Amino acid sequence: LESTIISVIPFTQDASGWWVADMAMFRFPKGVVVGARSSRCAYGEATLSVSTQDDTLGNCPEGDGSVVLGRLNTATGKWATVLGGNGNTSSGSLSSVLGGKRNAAHGEYSTVSAGSENYASGLFSSVSGGSKNTASNTGSSVSGGSSCNAVGVLSSVLGGSKNTANGGNSAIVGGLSSVSKGRYSSIVGGIQNTATGQSASVSGGYRNTAVAKASVVAGGRQTKNTRPYTILP
C-alpha cells in the first residue's frame, strides 16, 4: 500500500531535499495557505494566503476568490486582493490594496496603492498614497498628500493637506485646507482657497474665493470674485 501511495504522489524529492512538483497543472478548489493558518479567519472558496508561521500575524482571505499576502491583512470581498503591507483590508468586490499600513478598499472596484490609513469607499474610487486620505464617491481619487478628501463624483485631489473636493468633477492640486465646491471647479495651490461657482477656479494665494460661474481668482490675498466669466488678479 505504501509503495502504491508513493507512486501517485505528484512530487519528487531532489538531491537537496526539496520536494519538486511534476510538470502538471494543480487544482485546489478550496484554497491554499502558505505559512500560518489564521484561527480568526473563515476562509472563502478558491483563496490564497501567504504569511508567516505566526498564527497571530496570519492573513485572512474570507471572500471567495480572494488573495492575501503580507501581514495581518484581510480580504472579505469577492475576488478582492491585498498584495502586501500590514493591517490592510479589502472588503469591496474586486477591490484591492497593494501595500502600506491600515489602508482599506471598501468600494466595489476600489483601490488603495500605498500609504497609511487611506480609505477608498466609492465605486471605482482610488487613493494612490499619502496618509489619512479618503475617496468616497464614484470615480473619485486622491493622489498623495494627507487628510485630503475627494467627495464629489469624479472629483480628485492631487496632494497637499486637508483639501476637499466636494463638487462633481472638481479638482484640487496641492496647497492647504482648500475646498472646491462647484461642479467642474478647480484650485491650484495656496492656502484656504474656495471655488464655489460652476467651473470657477483659484490659482494660489491665501483665502481667495471664486463664487460666480466660470470666475477666476489668480492669486493674491482674500480676493472674492462674484462676476461670471471674469478674472481677478
Side-chain angles (χ1 to χ4, degrees):
L1 177 62
E2 181 178 353
S3 60
T4 301
I5 293 174
I6 293 175
S7 67
V8 298
I9 293 177
F11 299 95
T12 303
Q13 192 171 30
D14 65 14
S16 300
W18 285 70
W19 286 96
V20 181
D22 294 346
M23 293 295 292
M25 295 294 293
F26 292 83
R27 183 172 179 268
F28 300 91
K30 180 60 180 178
V32 175
V33 174
V34 180
R37 175 180 178 180
S38 175
S39 58
R40 64 184 175 84
C41 186
Y43 289 88
E45 300 291 330
T47 59
L48 170 64
S49 172
V50 180
S51 59
T52 68
Q53 290 295 336
D54 188 341
D55 171 66
T56 63
L57 302 177
N59 294 314
C60 183
E62 291 189 347
D64 292 348
S66 61
V67 175
V68 185
L69 287 68
R71 175 185 177 189
L72 280 174
N73 295 318
T74 302
T76 58
K78 281 191 174 183
W79 312 290
T81 58
V82 179
L83 299 183
N86 179 31
N88 297 309
T89 301
S90 187
S91 61
S93 296
L94 295 158
S95 62
S96 61
V97 177
L98 305 184
K101 184 177 181 180
R102 292 197 297 271
N103 296 311
H106 294 309
E108 190 173 359
Y109 298 99
S110 63
T111 302
V112 178
S113 300
S116 64
E117 298 180 64
N118 296 311
Y119 301 94
S121 58
L123 176 68
F124 295 110
S125 63
S126 65
V127 178
S128 300
S131 64
K132 297 182 179 179
N133 297 312
T134 302
S136 58
N137 213 327
T138 301
S140 61
S141 65
V142 178
S143 301
S146 63
S147 301
C148 293
N149 300 289
V151 180
V153 175
L154 296 172
S155 63
S156 62
V157 178
L158 284 74
S161 179
K162 298 180 180 178
N163 295 316
T164 301
N166 280 327
N169 299 89
S170 67
I172 300 178
V173 181
L176 171 67
S177 299
S178 293
V179 181
S180 57
K181 297 180 179 180
R183 191 177 183 187
Y184 304 113
S185 63
S186 62
I187 298 174
V188 180
I191 301 173
Q192 295 180 18
N193 294 314
T194 305
T196 59
Q198 182 177 325
S199 302
S201 64
V202 178
S203 300
Y206 173 68
R207 285 193 175 180
N208 297 312
T209 306
V211 179
K213 182 178 181 179
S215 61
V216 177
V217 178
R221 179 185 177 90
Q222 295 181 317
T223 301
K224 186 175 183 178
N225 191 347
T226 59
R227 300 173 58 190
Y229 305 100
T230 60
I231 300 174
L232 292 182

